[in-house]
């Protein structure tokens, strides 16, 4: 026989379970309807969503256009939207088929496969005139509309970036908008690239949709009408006018893929303004590898002989150049026999043919009078700072155009400065080895700075943020360097040296002589260490050399025996000149 205490205990347990169940029901039905669980789910909205058939015409997120007004991140095309719940036998199939120029039987087959709202899969693109004719039929469940869709990831992959759902990021960045209900935890947000940096201006505050409500059996709740819902503010969504040239971006991507560049990329700047015209990085990221494949163009890379430009600038300004002096370029910086055996060369020839011994010797001579010269001149050429545009705009104190851009370095913070004072360490640093790491973006900007004779400017990726009616909300003014820069004479000497790299028959860039215009530039090969069989291979330059318009850097981070950088540079440069003449 069960004791009274045990019965009391069982009764308390059951009562507790019932009270807990009652509280749970009350929490779902009455208390937390607007913010249920740690994910802050709006149960009312979710309930309505289960009884709603919808088709999104525009997700309400802002978009990017290129410098000429061409769409970059989205496509806008006429589409025919179908709501399958409203398909009726009395639809004028023959008339619809005639307008869209398909066979009636094919149209019937298309309609039979719809299980949820979607668009007709017509092989050819319909015209706005056909779209208007469809709408004139006034068929419930069939609507022609300009539909906006995001472009697939491969185009301008890293610079534009991607969007996706990220409840944690939404809670972190937009608590005010969440409280006001203008965004939800499912609102798509920028994950990287310009989509991330410009997210405060691009984030959607309302979609444009066709909406149709049904009951549990799929029958219409509010008649046969499909409702149209859009943002209430006609000035939204905003759009960003970038500095990118769509044709130039396509050209760049075409040739780095054609030559099989697996890791690395290219950067193209306008010489006069230092505005970004195109940028591509490989490997591409996908939705699964979005944070694993960083943008190689804004990340530190070992520059190799590209850094000899810095050493040359310091030697010129410190009056260490003697035109008749010969350097033994049969030796390397270790004093041993060099495999290239370049012979005795003067300074000009050493730069064109990239003799390491010359620049190792000069570096040590400069150090005797100025031990801090390496950092000083690397900074004067803009290589150690972030090169992307940054500043305070609107209500954002630290706004940057480029996502996760890294600083350059000549010395590792993990080592003591004394470790870089030996003659060998100075020589290694002077030729861009040891711990020197620079971003391709910074190197491209250095080339633009030299080409125009200074001053150094921050690289802009966008011109303005605009309202839907084209009125400018924000414009990005040029940011020029205020600190000390190189003298005009040094700039002139560097320009001449860069031209000789291509003009000299033994110069490392002589293969570019075949172009119908003069190129100025510098090659670079950087060893990644004894454990790696692959090197970094560079060519950085500008063109035309006599009237510079474009600064271009190409880098192969998995260089084997095939030199891809020179052919890629050549093909891109040739086509860019054709494009610029068309414009």
């Amino acid at each position: 026989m069960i004791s009274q205490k045990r019965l009391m205990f069982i009764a308390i347990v059951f009562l507790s379970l019932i009270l807990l169940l009652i509280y749970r029901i009350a929490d779902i039905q009455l208390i937390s309807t607007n913010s249920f669980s740690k994910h802050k789910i709006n149960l009312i909205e979710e309930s309505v969503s289960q009884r709603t058939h919808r088709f999104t015409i525009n997700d309400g997120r802002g978009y990017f256009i290129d410098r000429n007004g061409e769409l970059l991140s989205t496509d806008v095309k006429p589409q025919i939207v179908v709501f399958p719940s409203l398909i009726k036998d009395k639809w004028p199939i023959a008339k619809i088929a005639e307008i869209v120029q398909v066979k009636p039987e094919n149209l019937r087959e298309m309609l039979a496969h719809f299980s949820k709202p979607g668009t007709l899969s017509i092989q050819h693109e319909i015209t706005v005139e056909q779209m208007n004719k469809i709408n004139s039929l006034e068929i419930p469940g069939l609507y022609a509309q300009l539909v906006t869709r995001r472009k697939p990831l491969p185009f301008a992959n890293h610079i534009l970036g991607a969007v996706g759902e990220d409840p944690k990021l939404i809670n972190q960045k937009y608590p005010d908008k969440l409280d006001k209900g203008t965004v939800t935890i499912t609102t798509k947000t920028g994950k990287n690239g310009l989509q991330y940096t410009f997210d405060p201006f691009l984030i959607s505050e309302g979609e444009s949709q066709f909406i149709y409500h049904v009951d549990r059996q799929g029958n219409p709740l509010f008649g046969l009408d499909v409702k149209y819902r859009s943002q209430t503010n006609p000035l939204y969504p905003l759009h960003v006018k970038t500095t990118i040239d769509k044709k130039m971006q396509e050209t760049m991507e075409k040739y780095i893929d054609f030559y099989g560049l697996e890791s690395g990329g290219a950067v193209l700047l306008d010489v006069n303004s230092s505005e970004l015209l195109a940028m591509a990085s490989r490997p591409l990221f996908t939705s699964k590898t979005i944070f694993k494949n960083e943008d190689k163009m804004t990340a530190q890379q070992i520059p190799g002989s590209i850094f000899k430009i810095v050493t040359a600038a310091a030697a010129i300004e410190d009056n260490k150049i003697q035109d008749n002096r010969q350097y033994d370029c049969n030796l390397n910086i270790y004093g041993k026999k060099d495999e290239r055996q370049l012979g005795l060369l003067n300074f000009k020839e050493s730069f064109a043919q990239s003799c390491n011994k010359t620049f190792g010797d000069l570096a040590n001579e400069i150090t005797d009078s100025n031990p801090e010269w390496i950092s000083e001149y690397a900074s004067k050429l803009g290589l150690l700072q972030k090169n992307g545009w940054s500043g305070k705009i609107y209500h954002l104190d630290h706004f940057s155009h480029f996502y996760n851009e890294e600083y350059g370095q000549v010395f590792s913070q993990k080592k003591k400065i004394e470790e870089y004072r030996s003659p060998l360490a100075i020589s290694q640093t002077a030729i861009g080895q040891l711990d020197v790491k620079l971003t391709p973006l910074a190197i491209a900007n250095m080339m633009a700075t030299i080409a125009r004779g200074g001053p150094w400017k921050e690289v802009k990726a966008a011109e303005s943020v605009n309202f839907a009616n084209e009125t400018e909300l924000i414009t990005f003014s040029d940011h020029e360097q205020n600190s000390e820069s190189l003298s005009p004479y040094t700039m002139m000497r560097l320009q001449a040296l860069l031209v000789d790299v291509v003009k000299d028959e033994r110069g490392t860039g002589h293969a570019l002589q075949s172009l119908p215009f003069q190129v100025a530039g510098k090659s670079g090969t950087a060893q990644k260490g004894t454990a790696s069989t692959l090197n970094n291979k560079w060519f950085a330059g500008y063109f035309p050399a006599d009237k510079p318009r474009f600064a271009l850097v190409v880098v192969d981070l998995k260089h084997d025996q095939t030199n891809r950088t020179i052919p890629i540079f050549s093909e891109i440069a040739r086509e860019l000149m054709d494009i610029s003449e068309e414009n």
Side-chain angles (χ1 to χ4, degrees):
M1 188 172 179
I2 301 175
S3 69
Q4 189 173 0
K5 286 185 177 180
R6 184 170 295 181
L7 283 173
M8 183 64 71
F9 175 76
I10 293 172
I12 290 172
V13 170
F14 272 103
L15 181 60
S16 298
L17 290 173
I18 291 171
L19 289 174
L20 184 62
L21 181 60
I22 292 172
Y23 172 77
R24 186 66 170 172
I25 293 171
D27 187 38
I28 294 172
Q29 296 288 335
L30 301 173
I31 301 171
S32 301
T33 54
N34 292 322
S35 183
F36 180 71
S37 81
K38 64 179 181 180
H39 299 295
K40 298 185 178 181
I41 298 171
N42 190 313
L43 296 175
I44 297 175
E45 288 183 359
E46 291 298 315
S47 175
V48 173
S49 179
Q50 290 178 8
R51 300 288 178 263
T52 303
H53 290 176
R54 66 184 72 218
F55 180 86
T56 301
I57 300 162
N58 187 315
D59 63 8
R61 183 174 178 81
Y63 54 93
F64 297 102
I65 61 175
D66 84 341
R67 65 195 300 114
N68 302 309
E70 294 283 330
L71 286 167
L72 289 177
S73 57
T74 56
D75 279 324
V76 180
K77 295 181 179 179
Q79 299 278 334
I80 298 174
V81 182
V82 177
F83 278 75
S85 300
L86 298 175
I87 294 177
K88 304 295 181 183
D89 293 335
K90 60 182 180 180
W91 274 19
I93 298 296
K95 183 65 175 176
I96 300 169
E98 180 185 351
I99 293 173
V100 298
Q101 298 177 353
V102 298
K103 295 180 180 179
E105 55 268 28
N106 291 344
L107 180 59
R108 287 192 181 92
E109 185 178 351
M110 289 181 206
L111 294 173
H113 286 88
F114 277 92
S115 59
K116 59 182 181 180
T119 58
L120 285 178
S121 300
I122 302 171
Q123 291 184 348
H124 56 274
E125 186 174 319
I126 68 169
T127 65
V128 175
E129 182 181 1
Q130 290 171 312
M131 185 178 76
N132 293 333
K133 285 182 179 180
I134 289 291
N135 287 333
S136 68
L137 298 177
E138 298 183 352
I139 302 171
L142 192 73
Y143 309 94
Q145 181 70 39
L146 290 171
V147 177
T148 301
R149 287 293 178 264
R150 306 219 159 267
K151 286 189 175 181
L153 286 175
F155 177 77
N157 188 256
H158 287 86
I159 182 60
L160 290 183
V163 296
E165 292 185 10
D166 192 334
K168 183 178 179 181
L169 190 60
I170 288 288
N171 276 300
Q172 176 186 332
K173 293 178 67 175
Y174 306 109
D176 293 342
K177 290 180 181 289
L178 271 174
D179 291 340
K180 293 177 182 177
T182 54
V183 302
T184 69
I185 58 169
T186 60
T187 299
K188 290 184 177 180
T189 186
K191 307 290 282 185
N192 60 352
L194 294 177
Q195 292 283 11
Y196 180 90
T197 56
F198 281 86
D199 195 63
F201 303 103
L202 301 176
I203 191 164
S204 173
E205 296 192 10
E207 300 174 324
S208 295
Q209 297 178 322
F210 284 130
I211 298 176
Y212 182 58
H213 299 286
V214 297
D215 61 18
R216 291 183 63 182
Q217 285 73 41
N219 298 317
L221 277 177
F222 307 117
L224 295 177
D225 289 338
V226 172
K227 309 297 182 184
Y228 177 77
R229 184 179 73 181
S230 65
Q231 291 193 40
T232 57
N233 191 335
L235 295 177
Y236 286 79
L238 302 176
H239 62 271
V240 177
K241 185 176 183 181
T242 70
T243 60
I244 295 170
D245 186 298
K246 185 179 180 182
K247 289 183 179 179
M248 294 180 182
Q249 180 73 32
E250 291 171 341
T251 296
M252 177 179 286
E253 302 212 31
K254 175 174 67 176
Y255 287 115
I256 65 175
D257 289 338
F258 177 81
Y259 284 96
L261 195 152
E262 296 179 2
S263 180
V267 182
L268 176 70
L269 302 183
D270 178 277
V271 163
N272 290 328
S273 63
S274 276
E275 291 179 347
L276 182 74
L277 296 175
M279 188 164 77
S281 178
R282 295 294 183 272
L284 298 172
F285 69 80
T286 65
S287 58
K288 294 181 180 179
T289 63
I290 189 167
F291 296 120
K292 294 180 181 179
N293 297 331
E294 79 278 2
D295 188 347
K296 300 289 194 298
M297 300 303 97
T298 55
Q300 292 181 345
Q301 314 297 344
I302 306 170
S305 293
I306 296 289
F307 198 74
K308 289 174 183 173
I309 297 171
V310 177
T311 307
I316 293 167
E317 295 224 327
D318 205 35
N319 294 317
K320 291 292 188 292
I321 306 302
Q322 300 174 22
D323 293 335
N324 59 353
R325 179 181 174 183
Q326 299 283 301
Y327 298 87
D328 187 357
C329 293
N330 289 324
L331 302 178
N332 58 27
I333 59 174
Y334 302 96
K336 298 180 180 179
K337 184 178 179 180
D338 191 272
E339 59 184 26
R340 291 195 299 157
Q341 292 294 286
L342 297 175
L344 294 174
L345 302 178
N346 62 25
F347 174 73
K348 177 182 173 182
E349 293 166 336
S350 295
F351 190 90
Q353 298 176 43
S354 204
C355 170
N356 290 338
K357 185 70 165 63
T358 301
F359 289 88
D361 289 351
L362 283 170
N364 279 279
E365 292 171 16
I366 300 168
T367 301
D368 289 340
S369 57
N370 181 6
E372 308 301 326
W373 73 269
I374 299 179
S375 296
E376 178 186 333
Y377 280 90
S379 183
K380 284 183 178 183
L381 285 165
L383 296 174
L384 302 187
Q385 51 264 56
K386 290 185 178 181
N387 275 248
W389 194 101
S390 64
K392 181 177 181 179
I393 60 166
Y394 203 43
H395 58 279
L396 304 170
D397 292 334
H398 305 286
F399 185 81
S400 301
H401 282 195
F402 290 88
Y403 173 75
N404 280 358
E405 181 192 357
E406 295 180 354
Y407 291 94
Q409 71 169 43
V410 290
F411 307 122
S412 171
Q413 293 182 349
K414 297 179 181 179
K415 296 180 180 179
K416 295 180 180 179
I417 194 64
E418 289 75 17
E419 297 182 58
Y420 297 99
R421 297 304 191 195
S422 71
L424 179 58
I426 292 168
S427 295
Q428 290 175 318
T429 303
I431 63 171
Q433 289 286 170
L434 200 57
D435 293 313
V436 179
K437 293 182 180 180
L438 309 172
T439 69
L441 179 65
I443 291 173
N445 201 20
M446 174 182 68
M447 284 296 175
T449 303
I450 294 171
R452 64 175 176 264
W456 179 88
K457 299 179 181 180
E458 289 182 351
V459 178
K460 289 195 296 187
E463 296 178 11
S464 60
V465 179
N466 307 318
F467 290 111
N469 64 1
E470 304 297 334
T471 303
E472 291 181 348
L473 171 64
I474 294 168
T475 56
F476 299 101
S477 58
D478 289 348
H479 287 177
E480 293 187 358
Q481 186 180 38
N482 295 320
S483 58
E484 184 183 359
S485 58
L486 299 179
S487 69
Y489 173 75
T490 301
M491 287 290 194
M492 183 182 66
R493 287 291 302 269
L494 289 177
Q495 290 168 355
L497 289 170
L498 293 169
V499 168
D500 286 335
V501 170
V502 178
K503 285 181 66 177
D504 190 321
E505 289 302 322
R506 297 180 66 186
T508 56
H510 73 275
L512 294 169
Q513 291 177 5
S514 61
L515 289 170
F517 47 87
Q518 181 67 57
V519 171
K522 184 73 185 77
S523 64
T525 303
Q527 297 176 343
K528 295 184 178 182
T530 55
S532 177
T533 58
L534 301 174
N535 297 323
N536 291 349
K537 190 71 174 179
W538 300 75
F539 195 84
Y542 59 86
F543 55 93
D546 55 341
K547 294 181 180 179
R549 298 183 60 186
F550 304 106
L552 175 63
V553 169
V554 181
V555 57
D556 182 359
L557 300 176
K558 283 188 176 181
H559 171 64
D560 40 31
Q561 298 301 314
T562 305
N563 188 348
R564 302 176 183 87
T565 56
I566 294 284
I568 292 172
F569 189 103
S570 178
E571 296 282 14
I572 292 174
R574 188 190 303 272
E575 194 157 322
L576 287 182
M577 291 300 290
D578 291 339
I579 292 172
S580 63
E581 288 176 8
E582 291 174 5
N583 296 338

